[in-house]
Amino acid sequence: MAHDITPPADETGFDQVLQFTVPGRDARGRVVRLGPVLDLILSAHAYPTPVRNLLAEALVVAALIGSLLKDDDGQLTMQAQTQDGVIDLLVCDYRAGELRGHVRFDRARLDELGPTPSLHALFGDGYLAMTFDMASTNQRYQGIVPLEGESIAQACESYFFQSEQVPTLIRVAIDCEQGASSLASGLLLQHLPEGEEGRERLHARLDHPHWQHIAVMGGSVRDSELLDPALGLESLIWRLFHEEQEVRVERGAALVRGCRCTVEHYTTLLARFSPEDRADMMDEDGLIQIDCAFCSRQFPIAMD
């Protein structure tokens, strides 16, 4: 296995993206394992187990896909919505290794679904919007796909093939039981038969023999392997692809909770409103109370 740089010293790979390519198969991949960062994000709200699992999956997928961005300051935002779902909003974003996310849901309706509700039971006829903001070019583009299948990961696979014409495999494993440290991990594989550097991908198809081979190898990964802290991420890649002539591995971004809420941030946002609108927002003490949905903190803002 060839390496571009030395792999991370923390062989467990917690809160770290590992990037790899398989040149002989025209494939690239990402693998990530969330630990302390996941606990920190989930601790902001007393989510029930089904919601914890759903948000953990979304955060893993956001880290996998967000780490594909070539723009160092680019941002991926994933937003799932329904009109009458038990979960009416799920949002996650990734920017330069910063992760955040939250879920809004109807607790009474959720309790009626039991401990392991399906994706359709949670969202009904929902959709997933993937928004990419490219800071270097000030461009934004978005793709929207139905929330179909068994998981958010499957919906994202559909997004890449339908919107980007890139065959994609995503596997996610979750262990987020209440009262214990949370763990979530994922693997992403993509087929890029004409390379990553902007050449037109004329031959991207699901039945390409190189892609079929890579998909079988990657698809064989077990949840227990993804979640095993004793199995380092590089060791996991080696286990899956050790028969390949060359696999290049590179350390990606370290992951942190990326809530960007500050008094200065909210003051800047509120300054865009008219004085009359701000006056309507004030409480009896003349403060505007801001609640951050991501980290569950409150910010009393005094505006002139």
Side-chain angles (χ1 to χ4, degrees):
M1 180 179 286
H3 301 88
D4 290 333
I5 65 172
T6 302
D10 178 10
E11 175 64 6
T12 62
F14 284 129
D15 303 329
Q16 175 75 53
V17 176
L18 203 63
Q19 307 172 174
F20 64 96
T21 59
V22 186
R25 302 287 184 178
D26 300 312
R28 69 174 175 182
R30 301 291 187 271
V31 61
V32 64
R33 184 176 289 147
L34 299 180
V37 165
L38 179 61
D39 271 330
L40 189 58
I41 294 173
L42 294 179
S43 69
H45 298 276
Y47 291 123
T49 298
V51 177
R52 288 169 62 86
N53 290 339
L54 183 73
L55 181 54
E57 180 193 5
L59 289 165
V60 168
V61 172
L64 291 170
I65 297 176
S67 64
L68 297 174
L69 291 171
K70 295 184 180 297
D71 189 328
D72 291 340
D73 293 317
Q75 178 170 309
L76 162 72
T77 302
M78 293 171 40
Q79 185 165 314
Q81 286 188 317
T82 67
Q83 293 187 344
D84 192 33
V86 173
I87 292 177
D88 67 289
L89 175 67
L90 179 149
V91 60
C92 293
D93 66 38
Y94 170 98
R95 186 181 70 179
E98 296 182 347
L99 274 176
R100 63 178 182 171
H102 78 93
V103 183
R104 192 173 63 211
F105 61 100
D106 185 322
R107 180 59 187 263
R109 292 176 62 194
L110 178 68
D111 290 344
E112 295 174 357
L113 298 179
T116 56
S118 67
L119 192 71
H120 188 266
L122 292 172
F123 288 101
D125 296 324
Y127 66 88
L128 179 69
M130 307 273 288
T131 305
F132 298 87
D133 291 286
M134 315 307 288
S136 60
T137 60
N138 202 31
Q139 292 180 317
R140 167 181 288 190
Y141 64 97
Q142 184 180 75
I144 297 177
V145 293
L147 272 170
E148 298 175 342
E150 297 181 359
S151 65
I152 289 176
Q154 283 191 3
C156 290
E157 288 177 349
S158 298
Y159 162 78
F160 275 108
F161 190 67
Q162 295 172 12
S163 299
E164 304 288 334
Q165 289 77 55
V166 179
T168 300
L169 179 144
I170 303 174
R171 294 291 181 266
V172 178
I174 305 295
D175 184 4
C176 291
E177 292 300 321
Q178 295 279 6
S181 295
S182 299
L183 186 61
S185 184
L187 170 75
L188 177 146
L189 288 167
Q190 292 188 322
H191 188 223
L192 301 169
E194 296 298 329
E196 291 191 43
E197 305 303 327
R199 287 176 287 172
E200 189 174 4
R201 298 173 189 141
L202 298 177
H203 306 293
R205 63 181 197 269
L206 293 175
D207 62 350
H208 192 293
H210 282 344
W211 172 244
Q212 288 181 328
H213 177 84
I214 285 292
V216 168
M217 295 298 100
S220 71
V221 70
R222 300 188 298 270
D223 286 1
S224 59
E225 292 175 306
L226 286 168
L227 295 172
D228 183 1
L231 179 63
L233 297 183
E234 186 179 3
S235 298
L236 174 61
I237 296 170
W238 170 252
R239 180 176 291 187
L240 294 173
F241 304 111
H242 64 275
E243 294 182 354
E244 298 303 317
Q245 182 177 4
E246 182 182 21
V247 179
R248 300 173 182 171
V249 179
E250 181 178 357
R251 182 178 181 175
L255 300 172
V256 298
R257 186 181 73 168
C259 195
R260 299 183 284 276
C261 58
T262 63
V263 170
E264 293 76 17
H265 173 70
Y266 289 124
T267 300
T268 300
L269 291 179
L270 290 169
R272 301 173 185 174
F273 291 87
S274 68
E276 294 78 15
D277 288 338
R278 292 199 297 269
D280 290 338
M281 301 177 195
M282 291 180 183
D283 61 18
E284 58 186 16
D285 296 320
L287 300 173
I288 301 175
Q289 301 290 339
I290 303 293
D291 295 325
C292 177
F294 290 99
C295 68
S296 199
R297 290 196 295 167
Q298 288 189 324
F299 294 83
I301 309 295
M303 299 290 293
D304 296 332

